[in-house]
Amino acid sequence: MHRWILGAGALLAGVQGMSQPATAPACAEPRSVVERFIDADCAACWAAPAEAELPPGTWALDWITPGTRGAQAPLALGALAEGEARRAAISARHSLTASGEAAWRLAVSPTLRLSVEGGPAWNGYLGLQLQSRGSAPAGALAYLALVEDLPAGAEGNASTRRLVRAVAGPLALGNGPTRELRALRIPEGAKPERLRGVAWWVDRDERLQGIAAEACPR
């Protein structure tokens, strides 16, 4: 993630003025996305190894949902109310797996594509810019998030995690190019060097239809 330390009032202005880096990392085109939900009460769930490695071309989003023990839950620091809202929205229309996952197949030639750029860091916030191009179906909504890339063993996790740490949205998508600027607070306990901007969009039935990470449009 690109970071510049700026003076007061420059956070979002810096996002507006940024340009794509000359050398961007290679990006594997995602073919599917798996959303994984872990209850903050269940430390064993976090520490358990994944049942199987994700297949090539599959991106993951890991959510920690608030537990019944509130701030005393072992995973409370990473829990997001937005994670519970997302789990509930999916469960109302679709079936999660026994392990609490939702899998989404992405279109080979999507009519709507997203891109994300990370901006300056200032006073505990990171700026993100979402751009969309193409036509969004009626009812489509987008989300911007800070996701922390956790290698296996980094925080007691046996498997690699892509943990959603902060979310902005839902954001309306129009029938033409869209640009949204948001500043998200760096979460307590997160390591800034492991954070990156991620955006995704869902249709009116909460199916995840497209996803993009910094320097990796989709």
Side-chain angles (χ1 to χ4, degrees):
M1 177 171 288
H2 322 297
R3 300 182 184 86
W4 301 269
I5 304 300
L6 302 181
L11 182 61
L12 290 179
V15 182
Q16 291 175 300
M18 86 178 92
S19 60
Q20 190 72 8
T23 303
C27 299
E29 184 81 357
R31 296 193 295 270
S32 59
V33 177
V34 173
E35 294 185 77
R36 304 183 289 205
F37 298 89
I38 297 176
D39 190 288
D41 291 336
C42 189
C45 302
W46 175 260
E51 296 180 2
E53 291 295 321
L54 293 174
T58 298
W59 288 12
L61 289 175
D62 290 291
W63 299 89
I64 297 177
T65 59
T68 58
R69 297 168 59 186
Q72 302 305 312
L75 304 179
L77 195 61
L80 289 178
E82 293 90 344
E84 177 56 32
R86 176 63 180 153
R87 188 200 64 77
I90 296 172
S91 298
R93 297 169 175 81
H94 312 281
S95 297
L96 297 174
T97 68
S99 56
E101 297 182 359
W104 312 105
R105 176 66 63 177
L106 304 184
V108 175
S109 300
T111 59
L112 177 67
R113 288 183 175 270
L114 307 179
S115 62
V116 186
E117 293 182 35
W122 179 76
N123 199 28
Y125 284 84
L126 286 170
L128 293 179
Q129 176 177 272
L130 164 69
Q131 294 191 54
S132 69
R133 64 188 190 277
S135 179
L141 296 170
Y143 296 83
L144 262 173
L146 289 176
V147 171
E148 189 169 8
D149 293 325
L150 298 172
E155 303 292 342
N157 50 303
S159 303
T160 299
R161 298 283 187 188
R162 300 292 181 262
L163 183 62
V164 181
R165 299 303 311 271
V167 181
L171 309 172
L173 293 168
N175 289 320
T178 300
R179 184 175 70 168
E180 295 283 351
L181 304 173
R182 291 293 186 275
L184 279 73
R185 181 180 291 278
I186 297 173
E188 182 181 356
K191 295 186 183 302
E193 65 273 15
R194 297 196 304 218
L195 291 171
R196 61 172 170 162
V198 175
W200 63 88
W201 71 276
V202 301
D203 64 17
R204 66 195 319 161
D205 291 319
E206 299 294 341
R207 292 182 293 246
L208 193 150
Q209 299 281 12
I211 192 168
E214 283 186 74
C216 300
R218 177 68 169 99

